Amino acid sequence: MSQSQRFLVTTVRSQIDGHVIDEMQNKDSNGTSATQEESSVPILEYLREPNRYGDGVPKESSPFINSTDIDKGILYEGKNLALFEEEMDRNPMVSSLLNRLANYTNLTQGVREHEEAENNEEPKKKEIKGPRMGTFIGVYLPCLQNILGVILFLRLTWIVGAAGIFGSFWIVFMCCACTSLTAISMSAIATNGVVPAGGSYYMISRSLGPEFGGAVGLCFYLGTTFAGAMYILGTIEILLTYIVPSAAIFKSEDPNKESQAMLNNMRLYGTCTIALMATVVFVGVKYVNKLALVFLACVILSIFSIYAGVIKSGFSPPDFPLCLLGNRTLAWKGFDKCAKIIIEGNQTVTSQLWKVFCQESSFNATCNEYFELNNVTQVQGIPGIASKVIFDNIWSNYGTQGEMLEIRGLPSIPASDPETTVGLPYVFSDIATYFTMLVGIYFPSVTGIMAGSNRSGDLKDAQKSIPTGTLLAIITTSFIYLSCIILFGACIEGVLLRDKFGESVNGNLVIGILAWPSPWVIVIGSFFSTCGAGLQSLTGAPRLMQAIARDGIVPFLRVFGHGKANGEPTWALLLTAGICEIGILIASLDSVAPILSMFFLMCYMFVNLACALQTLLRTPNWRPRFKYYHWTLSFLGMSLCLALMFICSWYYALVAMVIAGCIYKYIEYRGAEKEWGDGIRGLSLNAARYALLRLEDGPTHTKNWRPQLLILLNLDPEQNVKHPRLLSLTTQLKAGKGLTIVGSVLEGIFLERHSDVQNAEQNIKALMATEKTKGFCHVVVSSNRRDGVSHLIQSSGLGGMKHNTVLAAWPELWRQSDGPAGWKGFVDMVRETTAAHQALLVTKNIDNFPTNQERFAGGTIDVWWIVHDGGLLMLLPFLLSQHKVWRKCKMRIFTVAQIDDNSIQMKKDLQLFLYQLRLDAEVEVVELLDNDISAFTYERTLVMEQRSQMLKQMQLSRNEREREIQGITDESRGATIRKNSARPSLEFQAMDLEDVPKEEAQLIHDKNAAAHSSATDRLAVPSERVHMTWTKEKIIAEKNKNKEPLASEGVRDIFNMKPEWGNLNQSNVRRMHTAVKLNEVVVNRSQDARLVLLNMPGPPKNRQGDENYMEFLEVLTEGLNRALMVRGGGSEVITIYS
């Protein structure tokens, strides 16, 4: 253990009445029990029996992979730990956890579980064998086999010839440095706990979250699949080029079409090969794994034969001559001797080469001009390590497509006229070569470093074997590649290195002719090596797809998580074969290699990112046993991977990033409800903390102000939302984005109602998801709703990210609530939002508001701007109009003018103000006359005060309350007998209020409200009473009209008709008058509006009039289908400045 720390683990045995509760008791013949002598028990041998509680399904939320819930029927029966007996179902005993740890095993992540299922014909439980592979067998050799492959045998000599020793060295060094840094990061992640099935995908997804994990996991899957296509193409190339060239089906006599015919052969044979391999994988995967050792032996034998051939070339180079015409390399096609003339017997005759370049075989025939001017020479293709050819191969020799391969330094006389090369046996380069292209082709040869991490479940000690084996494999393969670059450059002629297919040496594999004892060692070895690598790709890629599908982060891929009864991923295998076929149809190994390079580089980049994030965030769970890592190394590896992506191919890199980005956004859009403790969540927390600290620096500027909403919801007894349209309105307002907190209050004690809180939060979150409301849910439990709402207003939010606006529904049944708690709570909420400098939005008739699916084809949003509230009244319609529900509604702004105001100038100023605010709205100025207070106003005020008095009397004794209410009722009944000819009569009917005194108060109000409503319908406001423009004549006429005696005797002396009106509170009368007059004007102008927004007056300073305040608001909004009362927070929220 690090830092010489030692931990002592002791086991405490429970004793009951002197008897030891333990299975290791011995009883003598007398029946007395004798406890065995206590001895120290190692943790990993403690209770070593099969875990009877485990079901084998990994639980990520548990500290151990196989930990599961304890069997409910097995409980601890002792008394020494009775203090914890109620927690045993949630928190198991330490002994149980140690039991699971000791018996932990993880089935092979490749195919072991499928092999066992195939071998078990009967459904019986098979004994679980512990993992036994060590570092060498489990990690080192698999990584070695995956890294050394097709590029080494088919393309490395060509890369050395084009880039030179120096350039090739840099290519290999960059790629190996990239994989080495990635291996360090991967070792840290792999040793930070157990890596279950999924291997590298599991590490990335659990470190970076479901969005990045899904995107990178799919890219890694595509890379593995295209790697299979590349290996299959390499297999076919070896077969058709070096083993059985006559097996080609498509042939062409035209040299220009030979390459196209070869591609068609690759497509045909590749398709057949992939079908055969997929069938083998489907029928019996165990045979593939048993052949893995054979494939590995082929790779190792081929490597040793290369080094043996290099050593032998020092004293006995192989005889593979190159035929040159001038300095141009010739392919051995159509001739057998590298000479213009030959001696047969005693005669000098022209050679077959002469017949190729000349029209006739005679000496005076017309020949190719370049053939006539230059001599034919012959040089050794492999001069050996003792030669000085290394100096000719140090620097690069890039070429263009179709360029003839030439040896620098040899004499050559060019032809005077442009010559034709069609049909001549020159060796041409099939593609253009340059540094970045060679990097893309070479990089797949260093992939495969994750073979060890993918087998973590098969290892004795994965946390030790993975970093050791992987890094040793990278060091070994890096040495092999770097040494081969130098040795190839020192042994092989440069023009032969650039001959990709060995045309200048009779179609032999270039690396094969160097090997000892025979070129066939390399040819056969590379054939089986690439064939085995292709089979392993088709074996591993479907299981990777199956792991992604079973995670459920990409919904449409879930079908690929299913397979045969033994778990074999059949559907994923079909998908893999289909994608692999795309690579086969490309047919060119040089074109497929950069594609899979992109996907592997992206995977490696995010492995480095995951390690760097975890290290920088200092996550408490980040405790890797591999200590030789640092975030700077991970960051350097990530940067190198990104650079290599754009070096290889910038357009392929962009395509790969776009694919990964689309997958990321899709997973994010579909909602990957996964919590894996990933580093991105930790980064988000740190970023949120930093942003919150920045927000604390000062108040929000007017230009940045947006409604940060706290929505107060009411719940029914089943914790369902009463008014879901509040969340619909919230979504429609969120064009301004910002914070959304959905809060609710449950009455009671938290210890008793915590389950109700969870149920309420689930219901609210489900409704938020339905309404597409992005925000947070906060449900509190309080002794009463009034205090709970106060707590939400005060404490919701965090730091500078707090709400600035409260959205609530109007309490429609405020008169029927039990006691004054209902309306008092509402009034207190209004006061508290004002004290907290928060805006308040109160919806009237919220159930009439539109849902998010409705669309208004037209109509208006009317704003009644009576007092200045900071501009919130004008900002809200603009936000609503951004949503598709209100998009086609026009905005109208009404303002009120008094007698002394210049309404024409007010309208011009308001239009200019709206223009500067960049708001499109129709402006109207409504002039209210200072009319006498109507009889209806007095009557409504009287009823209001009678009701207030009635509510106060409810606190008296039963008898006193009966007498008081009866007197009020009789007085009201007498008052309604007298009628006023100018106003409709108001009727009051008495009831027996012995049992329901509050219902009487409600009835009195409802009758008067109905009377007022009917009066409004029958007596429309005369048009001359509301003017758009005041003139001197109109003012005088209005004053004279008000001085004229009323026609009715009762109206002439209104107080003689109802003496009780003289005792009314004149302040209440004036307030009621304002509410009635405004309501008449608003209903007259905006009755057909889609939505009416108007200023919400503040509550009285004197708390004795709170119930009257509710009545004023009720009167103010009567007759409106949808109304939104707005009260500003005391600050400006809209500005004319940019």
Side-chain angles (χ1 to χ4, degrees):
M1 298 184 183
S2 62
Q3 300 179 358
S4 301
Q5 295 180 349
R6 297 293 184 269
F7 298 93
L8 178 63
V9 179
T10 61
T11 62
V12 181
R13 294 184 179 180
S14 303
Q15 297 184 4
I16 303 176
D17 298 331
H19 299 282
V20 179
I21 306 301
D22 198 295
E23 293 182 3
M24 295 186 298
Q25 293 181 343
N26 294 328
K27 294 188 178 182
D28 56 19
S29 58
N30 297 328
T32 60
S33 62
T35 307
Q36 291 182 349
E37 182 179 358
E38 298 277 340
S39 60
S40 60
V41 181
I43 287 181
L44 296 183
E45 295 180 2
Y46 183 80
L47 290 178
R48 186 174 287 276
E49 61 181 7
N51 185 4
R52 53 187 170 182
Y53 305 130
D55 58 2
V57 180
K59 302 290 192 299
E60 294 176 13
S61 60
S62 173
F64 301 107
I65 296 299
N66 283 343
S67 70
T68 57
D69 295 338
I70 291 181
D71 190 346
K72 302 298 182 182
I74 302 176
L75 296 176
Y76 184 74
E77 299 177 353
K79 294 181 180 178
N80 287 357
L81 297 179
L83 182 62
F84 302 96
E85 63 184 4
E86 293 184 357
E87 301 181 24
M88 289 299 175
D89 57 342
R90 303 188 309 273
N91 304 322
M93 294 174 58
V94 174
S95 60
S96 300
L97 292 181
L98 295 179
N99 179 31
R100 295 171 198 166
L101 179 61
N103 291 280
Y104 165 72
T105 185
N106 194 10
L107 296 177
T108 311
Q109 294 152 20
V111 294
R112 176 179 294 176
E113 66 273 22
H114 306 309
E115 292 178 17
E116 292 177 353
E118 290 175 356
N119 293 331
N120 291 337
E121 297 179 359
E122 298 179 359
K124 59 182 180 179
K125 185 174 181 180
K126 188 172 182 177
E127 181 183 358
I128 298 176
K129 297 180 180 179
R132 295 181 179 180
M133 283 195 295
T135 302
F136 185 76
I137 299 296
V139 180
Y140 179 77
L141 290 182
C143 287
L144 206 68
Q145 181 182 2
N146 279 268
I147 294 174
L148 299 174
V150 62
I151 300 297
L152 170 65
F153 300 120
L154 297 183
R155 292 293 184 271
L156 188 59
T157 54
W158 173 67
I159 292 174
V160 174
I165 296 176
F166 186 76
S168 302
F169 190 92
W170 271 108
I171 293 174
V172 174
F173 177 79
M174 283 193 305
C175 296
C176 291
C178 174
T179 55
S180 300
L181 294 173
T182 303
I184 293 174
S185 301
M186 184 196 67
S187 299
I189 298 175
T191 58
N192 189 50
V194 180
V195 180
S200 53
Y201 160 71
Y202 183 93
M203 292 189 300
I204 298 171
S205 61
R206 269 56 176 180
S207 298
L208 294 178
E211 295 87 0
F212 276 109
V216 180
L218 285 175
C219 287
F220 188 50
Y221 164 75
L222 292 174
T224 306
T225 305
F226 275 101
M230 183 188 72
Y231 293 133
I232 293 173
L233 289 175
T235 302
I236 304 304
E237 181 176 317
I238 295 172
L239 178 67
L240 296 181
T241 306
Y242 307 113
I243 299 179
V244 191
S246 61
I249 296 177
F250 297 96
K251 299 180 181 179
S252 175
E253 299 297 333
D254 187 357
N256 294 328
K257 297 182 179 180
E258 287 183 359
S259 60
Q260 186 63 38
M262 184 62 181
L263 293 179
N264 291 331
N265 287 315
M266 300 280 282
R267 294 185 180 102
L268 178 61
Y269 278 92
T271 302
C272 296
T273 303
I274 195 173
L276 178 62
M277 287 184 174
T279 304
V280 171
V281 172
F282 176 78
V283 172
V285 184
K286 57 184 178 182
Y287 302 111
V288 177
N289 287 312
K290 290 179 180 178
L291 289 173
L293 187 61
V294 176
F295 300 144
L296 177 62
C298 292
V299 173
I300 296 176
L301 182 62
S302 300
I303 297 296
F304 279 115
S305 67
I306 292 173
Y307 284 107
V310 170
I311 295 173
K312 179 179 177 296
S313 70
F315 55 86
S316 178
D319 184 21
F320 282 92
L322 304 178
C323 185
L324 302 176
L325 176 61
N327 63 350
R328 298 178 182 178
T329 308
L330 299 179
W332 292 87
K333 295 180 181 179
F335 63 95
D336 54 355
K337 292 185 180 180
C338 184
K340 292 184 179 181
I341 55 177
I342 57 176
I343 299 176
E344 292 183 354
N346 294 324
Q347 295 182 350
T348 303
V349 296
T350 58
S351 65
Q352 293 179 348
L353 181 61
W354 180 283
K355 298 176 183 179
V356 172
F357 282 90
C358 301
Q359 297 178 356
E360 298 177 1
S361 60
S362 61
F363 286 100
N364 57 359
T366 303
C367 297
N368 181 271
E369 183 181 2
Y370 187 83
F371 180 78
E372 293 177 349
L373 295 176
N374 293 274
N375 296 325
V376 176
T377 57
Q378 189 171 303
V379 297
Q380 281 296 328
I382 302 180
I385 195 172
S387 66
K388 297 182 180 180
V389 71
I390 186 173
F391 298 105
D392 298 330
N393 295 330
I394 290 179
W395 305 110
S396 62
N397 194 357
Y398 300 118
T400 60
Q401 183 176 4
E403 182 183 26
M404 289 180 287
L405 301 185
E406 301 175 348
I407 297 181
R408 296 175 181 176
L410 287 183
S412 175
I413 301 174
S416 58
D417 297 328
E419 56 179 323
T420 176
T421 59
V422 177
L424 299 180
Y426 292 121
V427 180
F428 299 93
S429 59
D430 60 334
I431 58 174
T433 54
Y434 45 91
F435 181 81
T436 57
M437 185 269 291
L438 295 179
V439 173
I441 293 177
Y442 172 77
F443 187 81
S445 65
V446 296
T447 60
I449 62 174
M450 292 186 175
S453 65
N454 291 339
R455 291 168 157 239
S456 60
D458 301 330
L459 305 174
K460 287 181 181 178
D461 187 359
Q463 297 184 349
K464 177 183 177 181
S465 298
I466 289 177
T468 305
T470 304
L471 291 175
L472 282 178
I474 291 177
I475 292 172
T476 303
T477 53
S478 298
F479 172 78
I480 291 174
Y481 281 124
L482 292 174
S483 61
C484 284
I485 286 174
I486 297 174
L487 294 176
F488 290 164
C491 295
I492 305 175
E493 182 67 43
V495 71
L496 179 58
L497 289 173
R498 298 195 301 276
D499 186 1
K500 184 188 294 185
F501 302 107
E503 296 177 80
S504 59
V505 285
N506 291 320
N508 286 297
L509 183 62
V510 175
I511 195 174
I513 62 177
L514 175 65
W516 181 86
S518 169
W520 287 102
V521 175
I522 293 292
V523 173
I524 301 300
S526 61
F527 176 80
F528 283 109
S529 173
T530 53
C531 184
L535 278 172
Q536 289 187 344
S537 296
L538 288 180
T539 303
R543 282 159 183 79
L544 179 60
M545 170 55 68
Q546 188 179 46
I548 298 173
R550 286 181 174 176
D551 267 343
I553 56 177
V554 184
F556 66 84
L557 293 179
R558 288 176 182 169
V559 65
F560 299 107
H562 307 294
K564 294 194 295 187
N566 62 351
E568 189 72 20
T570 307
W571 294 107
L573 177 60
L574 291 176
L575 176 65
T576 303
I579 298 176
C580 195
E581 178 64 18
I582 297 176
I584 297 297
L585 294 178
I586 295 175
S588 173
L589 188 147
D590 300 325
S591 300
V592 173
I595 297 177
L596 65 99
S597 296
M598 293 301 114
F599 293 123
F600 276 116
L601 280 168
M602 181 169 291
C603 177
Y604 296 165
M605 179 178 68
F606 282 100
V607 169
N608 287 291
L609 174 62
C611 182
L613 272 182
Q614 298 282 20
T615 306
L616 290 174
L617 294 176
R618 298 179 181 177
T619 309
N621 192 53
W622 179 247
R623 303 184 301 275
R625 291 193 177 276
F626 180 76
K627 302 298 182 183
Y628 304 101
Y629 70 94
H630 196 268
W631 69 267
T632 53
L633 295 177
S634 300
F635 186 79
L636 179 61
M638 182 184 69
S639 303
L640 188 56
C641 289
L642 185 63
L644 284 175
M645 287 178 65
F646 283 91
I647 287 175
C648 294
S649 175
W650 64 268
Y651 46 89
Y652 277 171
L654 291 178
V655 171
M657 297 177 75
V658 167
I659 292 174
C662 292
I663 298 171
Y664 177 94
K665 295 305 294 183
Y666 174 78
I667 297 175
E668 184 183 50
Y669 172 74
R670 290 302 301 263
E673 300 296 336
K674 302 286 183 181
E675 178 52 60
W676 290 333
D678 50 87
I680 295 297
R681 300 295 174 95
L683 180 63
S684 300
L685 287 175
N686 274 12
R689 170 181 168 273
Y690 175 77
L692 288 173
L693 292 175
R694 290 290 303 272
L695 287 175
E696 284 287 318
D697 292 345
T700 304
H701 193 275
T702 304
K703 291 186 289 186
N704 293 328
W705 193 96
R706 59 189 64 189
Q708 320 276 19
L709 294 177
L710 169 63
I711 298 93
L712 299 178
L713 295 180
N714 294 329
L715 304 178
D716 59 17
E718 287 76 25
Q719 286 80 48
N720 294 319
V721 179
K722 288 184 178 180
H723 303 295
R725 299 292 177 89
L726 267 179
L727 291 182
S728 301
L729 178 62
T730 302
T731 303
Q732 295 157 21
L733 274 173
K734 293 317 287 181
K737 306 299 181 185
L739 176 70
T740 300
I741 302 175
V742 181
S744 186
V745 178
L746 298 180
E747 295 188 13
I749 301 174
F750 179 74
L751 293 178
E752 299 175 356
R753 304 205 62 182
H754 63 276
S755 60
D756 293 337
V757 170
Q758 295 177 355
N759 186 30
E761 288 185 345
Q762 290 179 358
N763 293 339
I764 293 175
K765 288 179 180 179
L767 183 60
M768 292 173 66
T770 302
E771 298 293 342
K772 298 181 180 180
T773 303
K774 301 293 184 181
F776 308 97
C777 177
H778 191 191
V779 179
V780 299
V781 178
S782 179
S783 57
N784 58 75
R785 176 173 173 79
R786 183 175 171 187
D787 291 342
V789 171
S790 178
H791 294 159
L792 286 175
I793 293 175
Q794 294 179 60
S795 60
S796 294
L798 178 64
M801 199 64 175
K802 294 178 67 69
H803 65 278
N804 55 26
T805 305
V806 177
L807 174 61
W810 171 259
E812 302 290 346
L813 305 178
W814 63 273
R815 298 189 188 91
Q816 300 177 8
S817 58
D818 296 331
W823 53 266
K824 275 190 175 297
F826 179 82
V827 178
D828 286 343
M829 179 191 68
V830 178
R831 286 196 174 98
E832 287 170 355
T833 55
T834 303
H837 301 289
Q838 297 173 5
L840 177 62
L841 309 179
V842 178
T843 60
K844 189 72 179 295
N845 300 326
I846 181 59
D847 294 330
N848 293 338
F849 276 64
T851 63
N852 291 328
Q853 288 71 37
E854 296 182 36
R855 303 287 183 272
F856 287 137
T860 61
I861 301 177
D862 288 358
V863 178
W864 285 86
W865 191 22
I866 301 170
V867 295
H868 183 57
D869 60 349
L872 185 57
L873 267 175
M874 288 173 285
L875 182 61
L876 291 177
F878 169 75
L879 297 179
L880 286 175
S881 64
Q882 305 303 303
H883 195 271
K884 50 192 174 184
V885 173
W886 307 90
R887 188 164 295 159
K888 296 184 180 180
C889 295
K890 295 182 179 180
M891 179 178 170
R892 295 194 303 179
I893 294 183
F894 297 87
T895 189
V896 176
Q898 300 297 325
I899 293 180
D900 297 332
D901 295 329
N902 187 340
S903 58
I904 297 178
Q905 188 62 37
M906 283 180 62
K907 184 174 182 179
K908 292 181 180 180
D909 293 342
L910 182 55
Q911 289 174 338
L912 178 61
F913 182 56
L914 292 177
Y915 175 77
Q916 293 174 337
L917 289 176
R918 289 89 65 198
L919 295 177
D920 296 327
E922 181 182 342
V923 176
E924 293 190 28
V925 179
V926 178
E927 300 166 345
L928 288 182
L929 300 177
D930 191 11
N931 293 332
D932 291 334
I933 299 174
S934 65
F936 173 77
T937 301
Y938 279 104
E939 191 66 34
R940 192 68 182 263
T941 308
L942 174 63
V943 174
M944 178 185 69
E945 293 193 356
Q946 287 173 343
R947 183 181 182 280
S948 299
Q949 183 181 0
M950 186 181 300
L951 292 175
K952 293 175 184 177
Q953 295 301 324
M954 289 179 184
Q955 306 301 325
L956 303 177
S957 64
R958 183 185 183 94
N959 295 333
E960 293 175 347
R961 185 174 58 202
E962 289 177 358
R963 291 195 300 269
E964 189 72 23
I965 294 177
Q966 188 63 39
I968 296 173
T969 306
D970 293 341
E971 184 178 355
S972 297
R973 183 184 297 112
T976 56
I977 296 175
R978 297 181 296 272
K979 297 182 179 180
N980 186 350
S981 58
R983 290 286 179 181
S985 61
L986 304 174
E987 300 178 357
F988 297 89
Q989 297 179 1
M991 292 178 61
D992 184 6
L993 301 180
E994 180 178 352
D995 297 326
V996 283
K998 291 179 291 182
E999 281 73 358
E1000 174 63 29
Q1002 177 65 29
L1003 180 61
I1004 294 172
H1005 174 270
D1006 291 343
K1007 290 290 185 180
N1008 286 278
H1012 173 236
S1013 179
S1014 61
T1016 305
D1017 295 338
R1018 292 194 302 266
L1019 300 177
V1021 180
S1023 58
E1024 65 271 10
R1025 298 184 62 184
V1026 180
H1027 303 281
M1028 286 303 300
T1029 305
W1030 286 99
T1031 61
K1032 184 176 181 181
E1033 292 76 15
K1034 288 183 179 180
I1035 295 175
I1036 297 174
E1038 196 64 36
K1039 290 183 178 180
N1040 293 334
K1041 182 190 299 183
N1042 293 335
K1043 293 179 181 179
E1044 292 178 357
L1046 296 175
S1048 173
E1049 180 181 355
V1051 179
R1052 184 181 298 112
D1053 189 1
I1054 196 167
F1055 291 107
N1056 290 335
M1057 178 180 176
K1058 292 202 174 185
E1060 62 271 21
W1061 289 358
N1063 298 325
L1064 295 176
N1065 186 320
Q1066 293 303 308
S1067 176
N1068 288 340
V1069 173
R1070 291 194 303 272
R1071 291 172 183 269
M1072 183 62 74
H1073 175 67
T1074 302
V1076 171
K1077 295 297 295 180
L1078 280 176
N1079 178 259
E1080 289 178 354
V1081 176
V1082 171
V1083 170
N1084 184 47
R1085 294 299 187 94
S1086 303
Q1087 193 168 16
D1088 297 329
R1090 299 295 187 183
L1091 178 64
V1092 176
L1093 291 85
L1094 68 163
N1095 289 110
M1096 180 178 180
K1101 295 181 180 179
N1102 182 8
R1103 289 182 176 269
Q1104 299 298 326
D1106 286 355
E1107 64 275 15
N1108 299 336
Y1109 173 69
M1110 299 293 291
E1111 194 72 41
F1112 296 146
L1113 297 182
E1114 190 74 59
V1115 173
L1116 181 62
T1117 56
E1118 270 183 346
L1120 297 177
N1121 185 30
R1122 301 183 193 92
L1124 182 62
M1125 292 182 284
V1126 180
R1127 183 162 175 78
S1131 60
E1132 294 292 332
V1133 302
I1134 194 169
T1135 178
I1136 63 175
Y1137 299 103
S1138 61

